[in-house]
Amino acid sequence: MASEALDQYCGSQFWDNALSWNTTAPDLTECFEATVLVWVPCGFLWVFAVPHLVSLYSSQKPSLLPSWHFRAKLLLSLLLFAVCLADFGYAVYEWHHSSAFVANAHFVQPCVLAASMFLTVVLVQIEHERGFHSAGLLLTFWLLIVAFALVSMQTQIRLAVKNGAVASTYRFVSLCVYTALSLPQLVLACLSDPAPAHVLLDEGESPCPEEKSSFLSQITFWWFTPLAILGYKNPLTQDDLWNLKPDDLCKNVTPHFDGYWEKEMLKVKR
């Protein structure tokens, strides 16, 4: 029943064992790519955006200064948003001016993607205002978007080679533009926004690089590599060490500790 509903939704077969499984050159159906490969990254973004926003608004970090990195992410997200809106407009145009059948997927897919692209604009802006240099949510989202876009791209190229022409010139060009804009977004998501100068001064001459490193650098501990190499070459001294992160300073840790300590003391008195 579910497969039949998806077949009707796409106007084509959702799953084909002969195409995807029982073959030496496996590929995915266009319906599968228009549904699963769109819903998975967008669903991931919307589900985890809620706890991410909670984390952002609980942050007490100062906002970051505007940079080319920040502006480029906003611009690319807005361009992708415009591409998705154009895809929806083209589907409406086809529906009004063509006798050909236009599947529901051609209306829903660009709307879902457009809403997700707009959400990335909001997240990038809030991350910048709340002092987040890098976050894993958008990195994972763009990684999924690029990977699935490349899968769809190779499918369209295969079909074009097999049939001698693309099924829809507009949709093929739109997919190329969409993929081309998503790739630099993935690269930017792997980088970290530069820190504002006044924060660097507040942290002293040797600020800890972990706070301002990218998400990839944090999960791989690459930010620690320079100190490890220095310690391998020469014995480390006090001057070689970084300052503590702001969150680890006594003036910031002590109030939290005192709050929990007072709660435990009240329990004992009762």
Side-chain angles (χ1 to χ4, degrees):
M1 289 295 293
S3 180
E4 293 178 0
L6 288 171
D7 291 348
Q8 185 177 2
Y9 167 77
C10 295
S12 61
Q13 191 171 1
F14 172 74
W15 183 258
D16 185 357
N17 282 328
L19 177 66
S20 305
W21 194 256
N22 301 322
T23 178
T24 57
D27 203 350
L28 297 172
T29 64
E30 292 184 85
C31 181
F32 188 91
E33 293 175 357
T35 53
V36 176
L37 299 194
V38 172
W39 297 344
V40 167
C42 293
F44 170 85
L45 178 67
W46 284 92
V47 168
F48 289 98
V50 175
H52 184 53
L53 286 171
V54 172
S55 174
L56 289 174
Y57 279 105
S58 63
S59 171
Q60 301 298 323
K61 301 176 183 177
S63 61
L64 305 179
L65 293 177
S67 63
W68 67 268
H69 181 276
F70 166 68
R71 294 188 180 99
K73 288 195 295 185
L74 282 182
L75 176 61
L76 288 171
S77 289
L78 289 172
L79 288 175
L80 284 164
F81 176 72
V83 169
C84 296
L85 289 183
D87 289 347
F88 177 77
Y90 181 75
V92 175
Y93 174 83
E94 273 191 319
W95 180 56
H96 276 289
H97 297 86
S98 175
S99 58
F101 171 73
V102 182
N104 292 333
H106 292 311
F107 295 99
V108 177
Q109 177 188 359
C111 290
V112 172
L113 286 172
S116 298
M117 296 306 163
F118 186 77
L119 179 58
T120 63
V121 173
V122 174
L123 290 176
V124 168
Q125 181 66 38
I126 296 177
E127 286 176 357
H128 194 77
E129 292 176 354
R130 307 304 295 183
F132 272 57
H133 297 265
S134 181
L137 176 62
L138 289 179
L139 172 61
T140 307
F141 171 72
W142 291 120
L143 180 62
L144 292 173
I145 284 290
V146 169
F148 293 163
L150 291 175
V151 171
S152 299
M153 179 74 73
Q154 67 85 28
T155 297
Q156 294 302 317
I157 294 174
R158 279 191 181 189
L159 291 174
V161 171
K162 179 181 178 181
N163 301 327
V166 294
S168 172
T169 303
Y170 170 81
R171 288 200 171 91
F172 181 75
V173 173
S174 174
L175 178 60
C176 292
V177 173
Y178 173 82
T179 306
L181 293 174
S182 299
L183 281 169
Q185 274 286 38
L186 175 60
V187 175
L188 290 173
C190 295
L191 305 177
S192 176
D193 264 349
H198 69 275
V199 173
L200 291 177
L201 292 176
D202 290 344
E203 293 179 353
E205 296 180 356
S206 301
C208 180
E210 180 187 4
E211 189 77 6
K212 297 167 184 60
S213 60
S214 67
F215 177 75
L216 280 179
S217 179
Q218 291 178 10
I219 62 175
T220 58
F221 282 88
W222 189 255
W223 61 272
F224 182 76
T225 302
L227 187 62
I229 294 176
L230 180 62
Y232 173 76
K233 293 180 179 179
N234 301 293
L236 294 176
T237 65
Q238 184 69 30
D239 294 334
D240 297 325
L241 302 180
W242 300 308
N243 296 335
L244 289 173
K245 295 190 301 181
D247 293 341
D248 295 333
L249 294 175
C250 288
K251 64 179 181 180
N252 297 325
V253 174
T254 302
H256 294 286
F257 175 81
D258 289 341
Y260 288 112
W261 178 256
E262 290 175 2
K263 290 180 180 179
E264 293 301 320
M265 292 295 292
L266 289 175
K267 290 179 182 179
V268 173
K269 291 179 180 179
R270 291 174 184 173

